[in-house]
Amino acid sequence: MKRFLSGIQATGDLHIGNYLGAIKPCVELQGEGESIYFVPNLHSLNTRPDPAKLRKETLSNIAWFMAAGIDPNKSILYVQSGVSANAELCWILNNFVTMGELSRQTQYKDKSSKKGVEGQLVGLFAYPVLMAADILLYSATHVPVGEDQAQHVELARDIAERFNNIYGDTFVVPEAVVRKVGARVMNLQNPDKKMSKSDEGQSGNILLLDNKESIQNKIKRAVTDSEGLVEFSDTKPAIANLLQIYSGVTGDGIETITAKYAGKGYGELKTDLANVVVDSIVELQTKYHELLKNEDYLLEIVKEGNRKANEIASAKLLEVKVKLGLL
Ligand code: TYM
């Protein structure tokens, strides 16, 4: 039986990269096996968030999951801090990973290169270990993520194999599910850089909360090139990015889209792209706002999700503790 698991951090407003790279695949995989989706709010602590903002963004991500189609009757939908076993397994797994491995994680390297290593929080450095615990504790077979998280899933695999080799079969070795299209949506103003929550407010991100005009303006102003040819190619990253967003949103293949715009300019592609993005995001937003109106209902969903997640997690944690001789 396949078990899908993924998480979306409560740190800043979600963008269309989060949707196409992770949320949409999570929804599509629901029903092909068991699924567990969650908000990793302990991960967010490395940005020292304002408590009220963290609480709000945690519930907001639960609402986005549900607005996109995650059904709490079909999937477990929970919040990381509601299951203590995640943090406890993280501590155990810290002893199965080296400083060298963590120093080589691209995301950590990117973040520490801006500020220098000395002042980095241990919580940021060790963040992939908590992510490994999130995955291994629930025996996930498949982890749908965007490309930037694939290296962390790879590390979770290494940790699982290392543990299993010493203590016998304990953890399922998980596989990252990274879509060909939509797994690395780039910034509309700088197509060499991925769209990122930490670039909030910039015109290069399409936020899930953007209104129609804002989406249209951002797409209209997206950088292109001077060739005017709608082609999918590594040498044309700006156009390739617009095409992958188009394909991710509509489900049409890249070839179908390039054929449709052959001989036409970028203007037409951009107008149509804005329309399809607006249609899909507006539909999501309507459901999202509806869900947020009833906070008690969302809290009930989380409580029930936490309960189910705790059952799975505590059984696995006990197995690990017995193997390690922890009384
Ligand atoms: P996070 O919250 O940064 O991102 C959530 C998901 O969105 C994907 N993503 C993108 N996909 C395509 N294009 C982009 N520009 C883009 N930006 C982000 C991410 O790859 C991710 O799938 N550490 C994780 C959260 C996490 C997790 C886990 C995920 C914690 N524990 C266990 C899976 C399994 C993170 O910070 O993702």
Side-chain angles (χ1 to χ4, degrees):
M1 171 69 125
K2 288 182 180 169
R3 184 177 277 173
F4 303 101
L5 176 141
S6 197
I8 312 282
Q9 271 208 60
T11 323
D13 292 332
L14 300 191
H15 52 71
I16 198 164
N18 299 127
Y19 177 61
L20 297 180
I23 301 177
K24 199 165 181 246
C26 287
V27 175
E28 285 164 6
L29 291 166
Q30 178 178 244
E32 281 187 33
E34 292 173 349
S35 38
I36 303 178
Y37 301 126
F38 70 106
V39 184
N41 56 346
L42 294 174
H43 275 106
S44 306
L45 295 180
N46 67 42
T47 62
R48 300 254 183 88
D50 168 65
K53 190 164 178 271
L54 178 60
R55 183 184 189 282
K56 186 168 165 264
E57 288 182 345
T58 303
L59 280 180
S60 159
N61 283 8
I62 292 287
W64 280 124
F65 267 128
M66 289 174 66
I70 298 302
D71 176 350
N73 294 314
K74 294 188 186 149
S75 300
I76 295 178
L77 197 52
Y78 88 99
V79 171
Q80 192 183 38
S81 61
V83 182
S84 314
N86 288 43
E88 200 174 339
L89 182 65
C90 173
W91 183 257
I92 292 172
L93 297 183
N94 276 330
N95 302 292
F96 293 84
V97 63
T98 65
M99 302 273 283
E101 285 171 310
L102 292 178
S103 312
R104 284 191 292 276
Q105 298 300 304
T106 310
Q107 201 165 62
Y108 172 71
K109 283 201 291 189
D110 285 352
K111 293 198 172 163
S112 57
S113 69
K114 287 176 201 147
K115 271 206 326 207
V117 174
E118 274 299 302
Q120 292 301 335
L121 297 177
V122 174
L124 178 71
F125 184 64
Y127 143 132
V129 192
L130 180 56
M131 181 161 160
D134 295 335
I135 298 170
L136 302 183
L137 196 51
Y138 298 88
S139 307
T141 57
H142 293 83
V143 184
V145 282
E147 208 175 278
D148 62 336
Q149 295 298 323
Q151 192 187 21
H152 295 155
V153 180
E154 199 52 45
L155 185 67
R157 288 174 63 87
D158 292 345
I159 293 175
E161 280 168 356
R162 203 166 290 162
F163 191 101
N164 290 349
N165 283 338
I166 305 172
Y167 298 99
D169 259 3
T170 309
F171 294 123
V172 170
V173 181
E175 216 177 279
V177 180
V178 180
R179 289 277 164 95
K180 283 205 181 74
V181 166
R184 192 173 172 79
V185 175
M186 308 308 275
N187 187 296
L188 297 181
Q189 288 302 316
N190 180 358
D192 294 328
K193 192 169 153 268
K194 75 176 162 84
M195 213 176 259
S196 159
K197 280 187 235 156
S198 40
D199 296 331
E200 255 175 272
Q202 291 186 8
S203 54
N205 280 3
I206 301 174
L207 302 180
L208 295 188
L209 275 176
D210 274 342
N211 63 26
K212 182 177 170 188
E213 290 70 35
S214 167
I215 295 171
Q216 285 169 333
N217 283 332
K218 287 178 179 181
I219 293 181
K220 200 167 163 188
R221 295 204 197 108
V223 298
T224 52
D225 56 44
S226 53
E227 281 179 29
L229 289 174
V230 179
E231 278 173 353
F232 191 84
S233 144
D234 287 349
T235 58
K236 290 164 72 75
I239 305 305
N241 191 37
L242 298 181
L243 289 170
Q244 77 154 330
I245 298 174
Y246 198 125
S247 170
V249 169
T250 59
D252 295 344
I254 297 278
E255 280 170 19
T256 312
I257 305 166
T258 45
K260 183 170 167 193
Y261 293 95
K264 298 179 183 164
Y266 298 148
E268 203 165 330
L269 171 69
K270 282 181 165 183
T271 307
D272 291 354
L273 176 61
N275 288 337
V276 293
V277 170
V278 166
D279 284 351
S280 72
I281 286 191
V282 165
E283 197 187 324
L284 272 183
Q285 287 176 353
T286 310
K287 292 185 188 150
Y288 167 82
H289 290 302
E290 198 54 43
L291 285 160
L292 273 192
K293 274 191 210 152
N294 193 346
E295 187 177 300
D296 287 347
Y297 171 64
L298 291 177
L299 289 171
E300 256 325 294
I301 301 284
V302 169
K303 193 170 152 202
E304 181 57 11
N306 288 356
R307 191 189 62 74
K308 291 184 192 157
N310 256 303
E311 262 176 30
I312 300 174
S314 49
K316 181 55 80 181
L317 184 64
L318 182 63
E319 183 189 341
V320 170
K321 286 168 97 171
V322 168
K323 288 192 170 162
L324 291 170
L326 295 168
L327 291 181

